[in-house]
């Protein structure tokens, strides 16, 4: 089984307990991280009509945040679509949001039309994408020029110190035990710290965004940089004659 297929299968297995485990291992603060991401993205779009795609949508947490945030900031949502390769996750999301549109697809092949969304978000999913560069190219394809890519992710610690040691101890030793207890899937929550450790640090991911023709607008760390928010704008493509 290929690595990407194995990751998808793992998420299928933990889907029923995913929401509960997330709230427990983050002590509920992941909700505030999503809320802040939405707030910083929508604060300049009051009165606008926007289309949103949430990639690696999982059980729909970010979709809920976009809906709530739009109402609070006076933004109208023309279309919001959740995209995920895990059928298990999508089953839970459809039960939570029966009126919402969902597509079973990968980050690298969303099936969306060119320049069709104003905002594309991916929260805690980009590190699970094996072909990262291909996914970023796909995101650039489907986002309208001037539109926003919003990424929330657990990033690798880039420096030492007591705070980072505490963070790494929690992520590597405590978090897997909590997740395994709730989900009864030890392997899945042992994968989480290893996936963080093998992912990029914030500076390296920012460079990836630049190379994919995005201009970073916001980079903000949360909780000793356990989680990092990136908001990047799609750069309008230059013509061949320019």
């Amino acid at each position: 089984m290929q690595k990407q297929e194995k990751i998808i299968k793992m998420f299928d297995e933990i889907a029923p307990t995913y929401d509960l485990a997330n709230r427990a291992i983050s002590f509920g603060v992941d909700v505030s991280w999503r809320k802040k991401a939405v707030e910083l993205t929508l604060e300049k779009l009051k009165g606008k009509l926007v289309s949103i795609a949430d990639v690696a949508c999982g059980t729909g947490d970010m979709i809920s945040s976009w809906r709530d945030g739009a109402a609070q900031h006076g933004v109208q949502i023309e279309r919001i679509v959740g995209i995920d390769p895990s059928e298990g996750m999508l089953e839970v999301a459809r039960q939570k949001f029966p009126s919402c549109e969902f597509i079973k697809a990968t980050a690298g092949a969303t099936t969306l039309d060119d320049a069709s969304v104003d905002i594309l978000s991916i929260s805690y999913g980009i590190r699970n994408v094996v072909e990262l560069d291909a996914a970023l190219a796909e995101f650039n394809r489907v986002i309208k020029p001037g539109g926003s890519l919003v990424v929330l992710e657990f990033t690798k610690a880039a420096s030492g110190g007591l705070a980072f040691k505490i963070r790494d101890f929690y992520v590597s030793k405590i978090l897997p035990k909590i997740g395994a207890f709730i989900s009864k899937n030890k392997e899945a929550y042992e994968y989480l710290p290893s996936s963080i450790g093998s992912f990029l640090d914030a500076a390296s991911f920012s460079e990836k965004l630049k190379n994919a023709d995005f201009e970073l607008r916001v980079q903000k760390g949360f909780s000793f940089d356990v989680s990092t928010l990136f908001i990047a704008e799609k750069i309008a493509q230059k013509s061949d004659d320019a």
Side-chain angles (χ1 to χ4, degrees):
M1 183 182 294
Q2 294 182 353
K3 182 178 179 181
Q4 192 70 77
E5 293 174 347
K6 186 176 181 181
I7 293 171
I8 294 169
K9 183 176 183 293
M10 179 189 71
F11 279 102
D12 282 338
E13 292 171 353
I14 64 174
T17 57
Y18 188 72
D19 286 345
L20 178 59
N22 270 2
R23 297 298 94 78
I25 64 180
S26 73
F27 302 102
V29 296
D30 63 304
V31 176
S32 67
W33 298 339
R34 290 184 176 88
K35 182 177 180 181
K36 190 63 177 179
V38 168
E39 175 187 326
L40 291 175
T41 306
L42 296 182
E43 61 184 1
K44 296 181 180 180
L45 295 175
K46 185 173 182 179
K48 300 289 187 180
L49 183 67
V50 301
S51 57
I52 302 171
D54 185 44
V55 177
C57 67
T59 61
D61 275 348
M62 196 64 180
I63 288 174
S64 178
S65 296
W66 284 123
R67 285 181 164 183
D68 292 345
Q72 292 169 5
H73 290 85
V75 175
Q76 293 180 287
I77 297 179
E78 178 182 24
R79 180 195 186 196
I80 185 165
V81 55
I83 299 170
D84 202 288
S86 166
E87 184 59 37
M89 289 288 181
L90 289 177
E91 285 179 5
V92 177
R94 291 186 189 109
Q95 291 173 9
K96 291 167 63 176
F97 306 100
S99 63
C100 192
E101 178 185 359
F102 292 99
I103 299 172
K104 184 179 179 181
T106 65
T110 63
T111 77
L112 299 175
D113 292 336
D114 292 355
S116 58
V117 300
D118 298 286
I119 299 167
L120 187 149
S121 61
I122 179 166
S123 57
Y124 309 107
I126 195 71
R127 76 183 185 286
N128 299 315
V129 176
V130 174
E131 297 182 359
L132 176 58
D133 290 338
L136 292 177
E138 172 72 353
F139 298 166
N140 190 279
R141 180 186 70 80
V142 304
I143 297 173
K144 298 175 184 179
S148 296
L149 171 62
V150 182
V151 180
L152 272 166
E153 192 50 88
F154 298 115
T155 43
K156 187 192 303 184
S159 60
L162 180 60
F164 286 97
K165 289 179 181 179
I166 293 172
R167 161 213 151 120
D168 288 345
F169 177 78
Y170 175 75
V171 169
S172 63
K173 303 298 183 183
I174 307 301
L175 183 154
K177 288 182 170 59
I178 297 173
F181 176 77
I182 293 172
S183 69
K184 310 304 178 187
N185 189 320
K186 182 180 179 182
E187 182 181 3
Y189 286 92
E190 287 179 341
Y191 162 79
L192 179 57
S194 68
S195 69
I196 297 172
S198 61
F199 191 59
L200 305 172
D201 59 35
S204 298
F205 184 69
S206 296
E207 189 65 23
K208 284 279 189 184
L209 292 174
K210 179 181 177 181
N211 293 339
D213 292 325
F214 288 101
E215 184 172 349
L216 188 64
R217 296 299 191 190
V218 175
Q219 179 179 318
K220 181 176 178 59
F222 300 107
S223 303
F224 301 118
D225 294 330
V226 167
S227 175
T228 306
L229 166 66
F230 306 86
I231 302 177
E233 181 179 313
K234 176 179 173 176
I235 301 171
Q237 296 295 313
K238 298 179 180 179
S239 68
D240 294 336
D241 296 331

